[in-house]
Amino acid sequence: MTGIDDVARAAGVSAATVSRALSGRGRISDATRARVRAAAADLGYVVSAAASALATGRASNVGVVVPLLDRWFFANVLDGIASRLASEGYDMTLYSMSDDRAQRDGVLDTSLRRGRVDGLIVLSVTLADDEVDRMLALELPVVGLSATTSRFPALRVDELAVARAATEHLLGLGHRRIAHIGAGYAGDPGLDIPSLRRHGFASAMADAGIPDAPFAAADFTIEGGHRAALALLERDDPPTAIFAASDEIAFGALFAARDRGLDVPGDLSVVGVDGHEMGDFFGLTTVAQFPHEQGERAADAVLAAIDGRDEIGDLAFRLVERTSTSAPRRGLAEVAGRPSP
């Protein structure tokens, strides 16, 4: 069976250098690390997790607390986390937090207390105060990704700015009858992402002199967006443009326009948020948020926290214009609800 001494001889270094190179810790040149890892791969040598944990006090494993595993966005984030952790010699363990209280208690009071992880990434999970207390009591480095609590450091997208970018894009094209489909409440949005997007939309519309713009509630699914968009399009003054709080909602709005025989973008412009992998296929204008890169940033941040460093900051977004948005077909006076002269 291949051992660490075999790898050391093949790479022409000491066993201690092999240990540092394969653990990712300690001062060592990139060239030496690459040579050691190549030798280990050629010999089929894999570091024993148990031995490494005994020697270093670390499990080389990061826990990721997730709300839903069946959403494309989270799947892409997780892929980014996993790929970056793997490149640094770390494994990833998922802990799914459902709405069931007993299941959540099991994660917090049993699974996370087994000492199998060196740090945690909390991905868009809404936690009660007592749940945050128990998570912090683990005394592990914790990094949030779009977390709904301010009690641990988190990477965030400026969701107000995201919503304003989408809304101002439609306003800039000449639309005035713009509706928003999303979720969230009208009060203080706090850190709730759907609420922040709704507030960003409302503030951009108010700044354009259009208060009380139409809003339709929907869950973040194609079906939810389809139902909400049909309701908006049945109004006496239907919108000429829709800002959807997610790309999946926006896809539903596109299907609703098709069902009503409307041309997109001539009769109805639609813009979404997220940067869905199917967005280009649908020609959807969107505010991309790069979920894979978000995952990589979260992995970098938790590894830095494990080493006692801080790599928390803002996450990028970018408006991607495609064929689902254009200037309204009719004159601006008619679009604003006034008869053309």
Side-chain angles (χ1 to χ4, degrees), residues 157-223:
V157 176
D158 185 342
E159 299 292 350
L160 288 171
V162 164
R164 290 189 69 94
T167 308
E168 289 169 357
H169 170 65
L170 295 171
L171 288 166
L173 290 171
H175 292 277
R176 293 298 177 266
R177 293 212 307 268
I178 306 172
H180 177 51
I181 302 176
Y185 45 88
D188 181 0
L191 297 174
D192 179 65
I193 291 173
S195 297
L196 288 166
R197 291 178 185 175
R198 181 177 176 183
H199 277 255
F201 165 76
S203 64
M205 293 295 284
D207 288 348
I210 312 170
D212 303 320
F215 167 77
D219 56 21
F220 279 39
T221 65
I222 294 175
E223 293 82 0

Side-chain angles (χ1 to χ4, degrees), residues 177 214 229-240 260 330 334-338:
R177 293 212 307 268
L230 282 177
L232 288 168
L233 295 173
E234 289 169 0
R235 292 167 53 114
D236 292 336
D237 56 344
T240 63
R260 290 294 304 273
R330 298 176 297 276
E334 186 178 350
V335 169
R338 299 184 300 273

Side-chain angles (χ1 to χ4, degrees), residues 253-268:
L254 293 176
F255 290 132
R258 178 202 62 186
D259 292 347
R260 290 294 304 273
L262 299 177
D263 174 69
V264 175
D267 297 319
L268 181 71

Side-chain angles (χ1 to χ4, degrees), residues 2 12 22 34-35 44 63 71 87 110 157 163 186 215 219 232 290 302 323:
T2 302
L22 297 182
R35 190 167 74 251
R71 295 291 174 85
S87 69
T110 303
V157 176
F215 167 77
D219 56 21
L232 288 168
F290 315 109
V302 77
T323 57

Side-chain angles (χ1 to χ4, degrees), residues 115-339:
R116 295 176 177 170
V117 298
D118 300 315
L120 292 173
I121 298 172
V122 181
L123 174 56
S124 298
V125 177
T126 300
L127 298 169
D129 285 342
D130 70 292
E131 292 176 326
V132 177
D133 291 340
R134 283 182 282 168
M135 191 170 287
L136 294 177
L138 298 169
E139 297 185 345
L140 291 170
V142 180
V143 170
L145 183 57
S146 299
T148 58
T149 178
S150 59
R151 294 177 60 191
F152 46 73
L155 298 158
R156 303 185 193 281
V157 176
D158 185 342
E159 299 292 350
L160 288 171
V162 164
R164 290 189 69 94
T167 308
E168 289 169 357
H169 170 65
L170 295 171
L171 288 166
L173 290 171
H175 292 277
R176 293 298 177 266
R177 293 212 307 268
I178 306 172
H180 177 51
I181 302 176
Y185 45 88
D188 181 0
L191 297 174
D192 179 65
I193 291 173
S195 297
L196 288 166
R197 291 178 185 175
R198 181 177 176 183
H199 277 255
F201 165 76
S203 64
M205 293 295 284
D207 288 348
I210 312 170
D212 303 320
F215 167 77
D219 56 21
F220 279 39
T221 65
I222 294 175
E223 293 82 0
H226 182 258
R227 286 192 298 270
L230 282 177
L232 288 168
L233 295 173
E234 289 169 0
R235 292 167 53 114
D236 292 336
D237 56 344
T240 63
I242 289 175
F243 162 45
S246 78
D247 285 348
E248 289 173 305
I249 293 175
F251 295 153
L254 293 176
F255 290 132
R258 178 202 62 186
D259 292 347
R260 290 294 304 273
L262 299 177
D263 174 69
V264 175
D267 297 319
L268 181 71
S269 285
V270 179
V271 59
V273 178
D274 287 334
H276 196 288
E277 55 200 1
M278 294 295 291
D280 193 40
F281 177 82
F282 283 97
L284 179 67
T285 295
T286 185
V287 183
Q289 296 200 347
F290 315 109
H292 192 274
E293 288 80 357
Q294 286 192 16
E296 292 177 332
R297 285 281 305 277
D300 288 339
V302 77
L303 292 176
I306 290 169
D307 288 336
R309 296 179 288 109
D310 181 3
E311 289 193 9
I312 297 300
D314 294 332
L315 296 169
F317 65 89
R318 178 169 59 88
L319 180 72
V320 179
E321 293 186 53
R322 297 194 180 103
T323 57
S324 70
T325 54
S326 73
R329 175 172 291 169
R330 298 176 297 276
L332 289 181
E334 186 178 350
V335 169
R338 299 184 300 273

